[in-house]
Structures are given as C-alpha cells and as structure tokens.
C-alpha cells in the first residue's frame, strides 16, 4: 500500500517565475511532462511487454515530492504541466496531487494543467479533474473495434474507455484523441476513427511508433510512416494546413469535410527538435532533457537531501544546461532495436 503524506496547504500569493530556463540552444523550457507512475492497467503492444517489471515503490517520488518538484519548475517558468505515465489515474490518490497543483492555475503561475490517459479510470475522475482546474485532456484510443482494442491493449476494455470519454465530455473537459498508427493493424480504420472523433467534437492526433524500450514484437512490423497516411487521407478529404504550433512534434490540419482538427506527430519522418520547449520527469525523479536521448539528471537526491528547495533548483539549472539539440530516432531493418532502452511508460510519451 502507498503511504502518501498529506500535501501542503495551497499558498495564495501570486508566484512570479524567478527566471526563465533557457537551454544552450536558446530555447525556453516552459513545458514539463511528469510520469507519476510507471504502472498501467493496460499492456499496449507497442508500449510494454506483457510481463513488465515495475519499479519498487520506495523508488517512486511521493505525491508530496512530485508536488515539490513540479512547483520548483513552475517557479522557474514552466507554464504547462502534463501528468502522464504509465497510467496516471491508476496512481493511488493522484487526485490529491492534481488538486494541489491546481493552485498554480489559481495564482496565474501556470497556464495549463493537463494529463494523458488511457481513459479506463476517467468515468470516476472526470468531475474532480474539472474541479481541480483541468480543462483539456488527451485520451489514447487506437481503434473502435472491440476485439482489436483488446488485441492492442491486451488488458483493456473498449466500452470502459468510451464511457470515460463520454463522462469527460459531460464534465466539461475538452478531449483530444491520440491514436498510434500501426501498420496493418488500425491502418485501414484511421479514416473511420477521424470521422468518429470529429463527429463527437474531439480533435485527433496520429502518432508514429517510436523505438523506445524492448517490446515482445518487431517494431519494423508496426511502423507506419505518417507521410503515407497523410497522403492517403488527402485523396479522401481536403486537408488545410494550420499555422498552429505547440512547441512539440505535432503539425495540424483542418479536415474541411468534417470540420475537425487532425494532428500528425512525426518524430521519425520529420525532425521537430528545433522548437522543443519541454523536459520530462520520471516517477523516480529522473529528468530527461530529451525523449530520444539517454542523458538524464537525478532530481530525487537533491529533493530528499533537504526540505529547502535550494539544491533542487541548482540541480534543475545544471540539467537545463545539458539539454541536447535533438534526438536520433531511426526505425528500419538495420536499426531494429530501441534507440533508448527505457519504455515510453517511464517517461510518459
Ligand atoms: N497510459 C497513458 C496513455 O496511454 O495515454 C499515458 C502514457 S502513454 C505512454 C502516452 C502515449 O504514448 C499514448 O498515447 C501511447 O499511445 C503513446 N505511446 C506509447 N508507446 C509508444 C511508442 N513506442 N511509440 C509511440 N507512441 C507510444
Ligand atoms: Fe499503458 Fe499508456 Fe503504455 Fe498503453 S500506452 S500500456 S495505456 S502506458
């Protein structure tokens, strides 16, 4: 059982960033993604092997420590926090953390608190998420076909996820659907998924599989270049490019026929690193300055060494000076091994 400490009272004074974090390539770091657990109630084939070894619980940051480290980043100019995992909503008492982090929205120090979820636990948390200040969430959904859903997620149940999405919408949350494009698996269903999502008022973003962590199968079998998907969607629909950029790897179009927004996350066919504004924290307090590189900084030791945040701030500053220019993901027959050994569920995608 997790022994979580109560979180601190929310301070009410406005918090101004001490200073911006600027990396050696001149990019401001304004976005932190935090994996709050490496555990998950699904075992998606491209993400995990069926029999994963999860981290020992004492290695995990407590909710109080997660709050401290997130708040340190907010004090240093992070404007957007995304909680992810593993499955963030399976972490015990995660709503306590989300509620406490919501104080930074109230003070105006943070523009957005959001999460990426598989949707399985959304039905019971949607109302609380809205109450905590969350307004938008990403829900991962690769197919609307029940047997295929089970095949892809191994342990997931489609109706539970669809109920979760409906509950989120009722609670007032804007839902964006994330779909990993898998060659010969959900490839033929992509237009139907886009139509469904846009029909429900959700934007949808397609993601290419990334070579992260050992899985049970062969990644070259799953890899579907989105340039190819886009080309075939353009035969069916009018795709109008949108100027919108998020500082991330997504490019967006408006589908004229459905009126909805469609995103393409193409780490392999496009390099997106020049505008990167983000860093990633694992649930053990390791900070990765790039999703596709192994260099990392340990923030847990400075966090645990003192109740004062001075050491933590110094460790963050030092880490930002090491943010690399970009990643080197490649998937082809000659590079059929993970570019980085860790799984996406550790850094959260
Ligand atoms: N469990 C949550 C979920 O599934 O949304 C959050 C964590 S999950 C690791 C975050 C996103 O990463 C999901 O949209 C998932 O589909 C995607 N993902 C996982 N492994 C991936 C991989 N190897 N390549 C590309 N996307 C991946
Ligand atoms: Fe779990 Fe998300 Fe990975 Fe699927 S993609 S196994 S839901 S962490």
């Amino acid at each position: 059982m997790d022994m979580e400490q109560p979180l601190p009272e929310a301070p009410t004074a406005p918090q101004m960033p001490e200073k911006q974090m600027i990396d050696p390539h001149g990019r401001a770091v304004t976005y932190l993604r935090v994996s709050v657990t490496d555990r998950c109630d699904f075992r998606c084939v491209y993400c995990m092997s069926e029999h994963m070894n999860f981290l020992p619980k004492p290695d995990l940051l407590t909710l109080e420590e997660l709050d401290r480290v997130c708040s340190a980043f907010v004090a240093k100019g992070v404007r957007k926090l995304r909680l992810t995992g593993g499955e963030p909503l399976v972490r015990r008492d995660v709503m306590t953390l989300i509620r406490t982090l919501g104080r930074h929205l109230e003070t105006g120090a943070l523009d957005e608190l959001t999460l990426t979820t598989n949707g399985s636990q959304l039905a019971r948390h949607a109302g609380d998420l809205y109450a905590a200040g969350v307004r938008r969430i990403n829900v991962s959904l690769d197919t609307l076909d029940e047997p295929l859903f089970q095949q892809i997620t191994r342990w997931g149940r489609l109706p539970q996820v669809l109920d979760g999405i409906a509950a989120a919408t009722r609670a007032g949350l804007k839902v964006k659907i994330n779909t990993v494009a898998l060659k010969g698996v959900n490839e033929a269903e992509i237009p139907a998924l886009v139509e469904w999502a846009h029909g429900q008022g959700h934007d949808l973003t397609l993601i290419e599989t990334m070579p992260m962590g050992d899985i049970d199968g062969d990644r070259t079998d799953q890899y579907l270049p989105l340039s190819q998907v886009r080309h075939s969607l353009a035969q069916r629909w009018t795709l109008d490019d949108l100027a919108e950029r998020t500082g991330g790897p997504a490019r967006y179009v408006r589908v004229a026929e459905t009126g909805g927004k469609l995103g393409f996350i193409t780490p392999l066919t496009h390099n997106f690193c020049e505008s990167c504004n983000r860093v990633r924290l694992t649930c053990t307090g390791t900070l990765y300055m790039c999703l596709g590189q192994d260099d990392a900084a340990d923030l847990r030791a400075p966090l645990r060494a003192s109740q004062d945040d001075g050491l933590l701030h110094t460790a963050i500053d030092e880490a930002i000076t090491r943010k690399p220019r970009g990643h080197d993901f490649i998937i082809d027959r000659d590079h059929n091994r993970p570019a980085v050994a860790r799984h996406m569920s550790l850094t959260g995608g």
Side-chain angles (χ1 to χ4, degrees):
M1 201 165 86
D2 284 349
M3 297 295 290
E4 299 292 5
Q5 301 296 314
L7 296 179
E9 283 292 305
T12 48
Q15 298 172 355
M16 295 305 289
E18 287 172 1
K19 59 175 174 146
Q20 276 211 318
M21 292 179 285
I22 307 288
D23 81 359
H25 313 287
R27 300 167 298 192
V29 176
T30 56
Y31 182 7
L32 175 69
R33 298 168 77 110
V34 184
S35 174
V36 298
T37 175
D38 63 329
R39 285 157 202 261
C40 189
D41 51 347
F42 291 4
R43 292 288 181 278
C44 301
V45 290
Y46 47 76
C47 179
M48 295 191 182
S49 63
E50 186 151 20
H51 305 285
M52 289 284 287
N53 289 319
F54 292 110
L55 295 162
K57 291 235 170 110
D59 287 0
L60 263 56
L61 298 188
T62 63
L63 295 180
E64 187 184 25
E65 288 169 334
L66 282 166
D67 181 75
R68 266 181 74 198
V69 72
C70 290
S71 301
F73 274 98
V74 172
K76 286 185 167 296
V78 157
R79 306 287 315 173
K80 176 170 174 178
L81 266 180
R82 177 178 298 279
L83 306 187
T84 174
E87 173 46 41
L89 295 179
V90 302
R91 169 108 193 217
R92 192 182 150 92
D93 290 336
V94 72
M95 277 312 308
T96 315
L97 173 68
I98 296 172
R99 268 193 293 272
T100 319
L101 288 174
R103 73 186 184 276
H104 298 301
L105 295 166
E106 282 171 23
T107 64
L110 197 61
D111 294 329
E112 186 168 24
L113 174 60
T114 184
L115 69 159
T116 300
T117 171
N118 66 21
S120 69
Q121 311 299 316
L122 256 184
R124 64 191 175 100
H125 287 307
D128 288 340
L129 288 171
Y130 190 89
V134 175
R135 292 293 176 266
R136 301 193 298 175
I137 55 170
N138 289 354
V139 180
S140 304
L141 180 66
D142 301 327
T143 178
L144 291 167
D145 178 86
E146 229 176 305
L148 184 59
F149 185 86
Q150 203 156 0
Q151 206 177 307
I152 295 174
T153 62
R154 292 197 187 100
W155 297 1
R157 285 185 48 250
L158 179 65
Q160 197 178 334
V161 172
L162 294 180
D163 285 352
I165 293 172
T169 307
R170 278 198 306 277
L173 297 169
K174 175 92 180 130
V175 173
K176 179 165 78 74
I177 304 293
N178 277 349
T179 302
V180 176
L182 298 161
K183 187 162 79 183
V185 179
N186 64 356
E187 187 176 355
E189 198 195 335
I190 289 174
L193 268 164
V194 174
E195 263 170 352
W196 170 82
H198 288 178
Q200 303 276 315
H202 311 312
D203 296 335
L204 183 143
T205 295
L206 295 167
I207 308 175
E208 274 173 354
T209 51
M210 293 178 232
M212 298 191 65
D214 277 320
I215 51 169
D216 296 331
D218 178 347
R219 278 187 204 279
T220 45
D221 289 346
Q222 302 175 346
Y223 176 56
L224 173 61
L226 287 185
S227 48
Q228 199 175 308
V229 176
R230 187 180 167 144
H231 180 77
S232 83
L233 290 177
Q235 313 288 312
R236 172 188 296 258
W237 290 320
T238 313
L239 309 180
D240 296 321
D241 278 312
L242 296 174
E244 186 176 328
R245 296 287 298 275
T246 58
R251 300 287 179 276
Y252 294 97
V253 298
R254 174 84 50 201
V255 180
E257 290 78 359
T258 63
K261 209 161 79 174
L262 175 62
F264 298 88
I265 299 191
T266 54
L268 293 144
T269 52
H270 251 223
N271 207 302
F272 53 82
C273 304
E274 71 282 356
S275 58
C276 181
N277 61 354
R278 60 199 60 192
V279 289
R280 295 173 155 86
L281 184 77
T282 71
C283 51
T284 57
T286 303
L287 187 73
Y288 284 96
M289 285 72 84
C290 172
L291 181 64
Q293 302 279 359
D294 281 325
D295 186 30
D298 174 33
L299 300 185
R300 188 177 58 188
L303 193 63
R304 290 188 175 169
S306 103
Q307 274 309 305
D308 179 272
D309 287 341
L311 292 175
L312 175 63
H313 281 249
T314 307
I316 293 172
D317 289 340
E318 196 279 326
I320 299 301
T321 66
R322 304 204 318 260
K323 186 164 163 57
R325 189 178 289 278
H327 68 69
D328 320 298
F329 286 144
I330 312 175
I331 295 185
D332 61 29
R333 292 276 162 208
D334 299 329
H335 297 85
N336 187 25
R337 57 183 166 72
V340 289
R342 62 186 187 275
H343 287 87
M344 187 71 104
S345 49
L346 191 66
T347 28

